Amino acid sequence: MITLLIVDDHPVVRNGLRGMFSADHRFEVLGEAGDGAEAIATAEKLRPDVILMDLRMPRTDGVTAIKELTKRGVPARVLVLTTYDTDSDVVPAIEAGATGYLLKDAPVEELFRAVEAAAQGQAVLSPSIATRLMGQVRRPAPAPLSARELEILELIAKGSTNREAAQKLFISEATVKTHLLHVYAKLGVSDRAAAVAAGFSQGYLTP
């Protein structure tokens, strides 16, 4: 029997997952947590085989929790279960130590198989995510950010608007927007928040 800890900030989601797994003799749900901080404390206490981890939660997010669980040597395998499939979500979670990454729209049997595989230490990826990652591997590596693009990304990460960045760099706001579009293309993102997240995950930015 595989023991589970369910981590999600939505009680309805936790209840639904508990009901699904509790109805199958292969699994036992040991507990639940509503955010990453609670997940860390509960996992250390209950020592589940697998943690079903949401990513975007208040107080402590999923990636931070995965990093801390790894740091503390908690042996549970972490299977991310989320609605988000962007690169800025997937890559940091895997780099933090997640064994697998699955989307919440996965069929029940696929979720069960993923938990069983994760419990055995096997990597598990949602088919759509695996396809995208394979495509990235096959594509030529994007050009690195230029010095100016990196300056703008750093200012954006610190909360500067386009106008503020333009003033600080003594360039026009239109030029900032052009550089930002180049940053988006090179990082494979489509907005400022994702660019900052990708900047951290790809090593362009440091905390």
Side-chain angles (χ1 to χ4, degrees):
M1 182 176 287
I2 298 171
T3 56
L4 291 167
L5 171 64
I6 298 170
V7 184
D8 197 290
D9 60 326
H10 294 99
V12 172
V13 174
R14 296 199 305 271
N15 290 340
L17 290 171
R18 176 183 280 275
M20 278 177 12
F21 282 101
S22 297
D24 192 295
H25 69 278
R26 293 171 291 179
F27 309 102
E28 178 186 2
V29 179
L30 298 181
E32 302 175 11
D35 61 54
E38 187 181 357
I40 295 165
T42 307
E44 285 192 310
K45 178 181 178 181
L46 300 180
R47 304 301 243 192
D49 297 317
V50 176
I51 301 173
L52 286 177
M53 181 77 74
D54 192 15
L55 286 185
R56 302 188 187 182
M57 298 178 290
R59 205 156 64 112
T60 303
D61 62 82
V63 170
T64 301
I66 296 169
K67 289 179 180 177
E68 186 62 24
L69 288 166
T70 301
K71 180 180 176 182
R72 297 189 184 194
V74 176
R77 309 288 186 178
V78 178
L79 177 60
V80 171
L81 185 63
T82 183
T83 56
Y84 304 101
D85 64 351
T86 62
D87 295 343
S88 59
D89 290 301
V90 177
V91 175
I94 294 174
E95 290 178 342
T99 300
Y101 199 108
L102 212 61
L103 300 179
K104 287 181 179 177
D105 61 0
V108 173
E109 280 305 321
E110 181 181 332
L111 177 55
F112 285 173
R113 287 194 298 270
V115 169
E116 289 179 312
Q120 297 172 23
Q122 299 174 15
V124 181
L125 288 176
S126 171
S128 62
I129 292 171
T131 299
R132 184 190 301 117
L133 292 179
M134 285 292 291
Q136 289 180 351
V137 170
R138 289 170 180 160
R139 286 198 304 267
L145 299 186
S146 68
R148 178 63 84 192
E149 290 164 354
L150 183 56
E151 284 180 322
I152 291 173
L153 180 60
E154 288 173 340
L155 288 172
I156 296 303
K158 293 176 182 177
S160 295
T161 64
N162 289 354
R163 177 173 297 179
E164 290 168 341
Q167 292 172 344
K168 290 174 182 177
L169 297 175
F170 302 102
I171 57 179
S172 70
E173 189 173 348
T175 300
V176 171
K177 291 179 180 178
T178 299
H179 283 305
L180 262 182
L181 289 176
H182 293 161
V183 170
Y184 292 170
K186 290 180 178 180
L187 297 181
V189 299
S190 58
D191 59 54
R192 298 161 71 92
V196 172
F200 281 111
S201 68
Q202 295 183 30
Y204 287 111
L205 300 173
T206 55

